[in-house]
Amino acid sequence: MKSEKNRLIALERIADARLNKSFFLDLSSLNLEELPDDISDLNHLIEIDLSYNFLSEMPKSISSLLNLKILNLSNNYISTINFTNGIHYLLKKLDISNNLLYEIPDSLEVLMNCDEIIFKNNPFLNAIPQSLRSYDIWYILEYLNLTKYKETQRHYETKLIFVGRGEVGKTTLIKVLKDNSVTITPGAEETTHGINIDHIDIDVFFPARPPHYNHYFELQDLYQTFTYEEVNEYEIDYDYHFGDNYLARFYETFLEMDEDEKVGFITTTDLGKQYKIKKEIKTNLWDFGGQEIYHSTHQFFLTKRSIYIFVWEPRKDGVEEEFEYWLNIIKLLGQNSPVIVVMNKSEVRHYPIDKKGYNSTFPNIAAFLEVSCIKKSGIRNLKFQISNCIANLPHLGDELPKSWIQIRDKLNKIEKDYINISEFKNLCSNYITDFNNRHLEHISDYLHDVGDIIHFKNSPLLKNILIINPQWATKAVYSLIDTIPIQKKNGVFEYDDMEKYLNLEKYPVETHIQLLELMEKFEICFKAVGSPSIYIIPELLSNEIPNIKIVEKIKESKDIFKFRFTFNFMPTGILSRLICKLFYLLNSENYWKNGVIFKYDSSIALIISDKLDKKLDIYITGQNKRDLYGLIKNELIQIFSIFNMIESKDFYEEIPCNCDVCSIDQEPHYFRNSTLKIFIDKSKNSIDCLKSAISVNISDLLFLYRNSNPNKSIIYNILSALSRLQGLSRSIETSEDSRNSYISDALSQSGIISKDQSRWGISSSGHSIGEPDIIFEETTGKFLTFYEGINLQYLNKTTIISHIEKIINKYDALGVAEKFLGCYCKTANFSNLSNSYYEFLQTFTHESIKFTDVQDITSEFTNYTELKIFKTYYYKSERKISLTHILVNLQ
């Protein structure tokens, strides 16, 4: 009866969609085994939801709907999907997650232009390493095609991460785990600076079932489980005490069986209850320094698919704060990886904690243990708990091409910290007969994701180096953070300082630029715009506000735009990352440990981080408040995503009340954005202020916050790219083409499509095609502007005039509103060159070109002297158009 009722509901909804030419058809959660009607005539449909039904295949009539853009087939029993070859589909989002697809359907290849295909929880993913499952379906399809006929092998390796505050004994505990006979002298252990990496091989017993047990080939590693009573009653000679049970090697028993018994045993489908399979697991031990200065940078290495050992010692104060910090960090960045809470130094004192309460809040806690490294007590139990956690890790036993494991093993034996891409290609080609660049990409992606190497394939400077010893890179980063002169300068250092502060034998000068690029990539430091070599580590900034008057002036501004993020748990480093992301909006030194001032066009933003109240307050004033709001919010959301805070809902966006009382109050009442949305969903148009009890209109309240997609001026992207080029100038070829290519690559990584040396436009005569150095487009294909770059060692007027004439008359027949000329200067006296250039522009006249207005706008973007920005205006077809000249010193 219920199925018939649902079928009638579906028929009614289809008929209604047909009659009203609806854009959306909802047939979800109706327990449908098939569509009750042919819908191939509903070409007006843009979205169909067929989720949570009992479909075994995609309804054939859907393949006729050419205007469909969103299709949800998730949570069915679909094993077949058929789109028609040769047809151009407009589909932009397809959800086929939680189905029974054992292979990626071939017909999906007709959807190459689809923006998003969601495919999680399908059987075909079982053949793919965990670390590669987050890639798009085309990448996975290519991986499967590359490995289809390759010999495979299961991979057993994991990571054990030791965290906790400084001096609780993490390093000592690792020593005792590796060698229980080692002598421990209290107070003799050196403090860990940054991260130390070691490894230990651990015997782990898995239930004897797939994927860990192959019935035919691994009998010698099979163990039978016995209880304590059975061991005593039958005098069993056991090999391992495994928790409450005992394990004895089974192979001798198997040899004594007759042939029928052997066959019967081998073909048993589930041995997992009584038998265990032993695997030797390479366990990498990551020992994290506990000083607070390291916490924000540690977060780059706290990963999922790991086991965490949170070490603490009983003290009188600070224990609760310590638990809250580390357990929350593991919850967010470790994505609920198992954690073993270890009280060290149990021989000194005991401290009671609310185990039940912590287990309720953090269900990923596997055990609470007490150990003493001096008395060696509790170590055996800790080893058992580690082994038990490893046995339950979902990624262990990833099936990889055997060649990949051979390549990993070979890399581990190379006594180098890094190799170049050519060496890596040669190594790979020794193990893969039909090796190509796509193989290279898949292997390096996998090794990078699991933490074996560091390789950023899309970075112009880092793509040619593979760091095969990650500790080499982390030690360099922490060495700079630990350097007292850099700390005294509040995080400021210069490129040449690296020669003084790094061990040149271990870190040759030619690697310094890559290390800096790596630090920028990890958002540990940023380069000051307009300075050739000054870098700043935000985590080392002073706590003092540089200019309290400016801060107070912004807060007291009448035309102010406020919003706030509050947190259940606020990770360290959010503001530091934001400063590194928006460094090009810093035009003064108004940034400090807990605050920053950004300037964008005619608007200014003040951001203050309050760790005690767990909030981030943002104040914006000026004419372009909404664009600056969008820029800041978008970057913060990206940071929250890195911390895995989006899905966990560990933060709330709040906006201030605009009632008569709050609008003039320095401390207005704040509404949660999520609360306002609930009111709107319930058709409630107003809400009461909890401070004044005045009712306010929700639509008016949200009006200023309605747009979070900023209309970002392209000049900021160009300045960011030029600033990076300035810092890397000694490592990039000096030709115009090489420098332009770097600018193009850098802009592409910021989300702008840049086409290096693409053909665009027509000359003023209409007879030849112009060729700007770089064309900029949005991801939608919309044209933005173009950029011309030239090398300049002196005021070469002939070269400058030639490029200005090409830009205005040859490339720009249509009159683009804003264009850019980048001058790569190499001169000992940049000040003289830039002054002469500015004077030249003020008197510039050439054929039909005359600048009517010349402005030095450098101070709007930077207070450093090695970059200058001049804006010139001219008229074309009675339209006022600008050409911005950016001079950057690459000396």
Side-chain angles (χ1 to χ4, degrees), residues 318-334:
V319 171
E320 285 76 14
E321 291 83 353
E322 193 175 340
F323 268 65
E324 180 190 20
Y325 176 78
W326 286 112
L327 292 177
N328 272 298
I329 278 291
I330 294 166
K331 175 185 173 184
L332 291 176
L333 297 174

Side-chain angles (χ1 to χ4, degrees), residues 232-249:
N232 286 331
E233 182 178 351
Y234 302 112
E235 297 181 351
I236 295 170
D237 186 16
Y238 66 88
D239 293 79
Y240 292 93
H241 180 194
F242 188 77
D244 296 329
N245 297 316
Y246 295 82
L247 299 179
R249 186 180 292 273

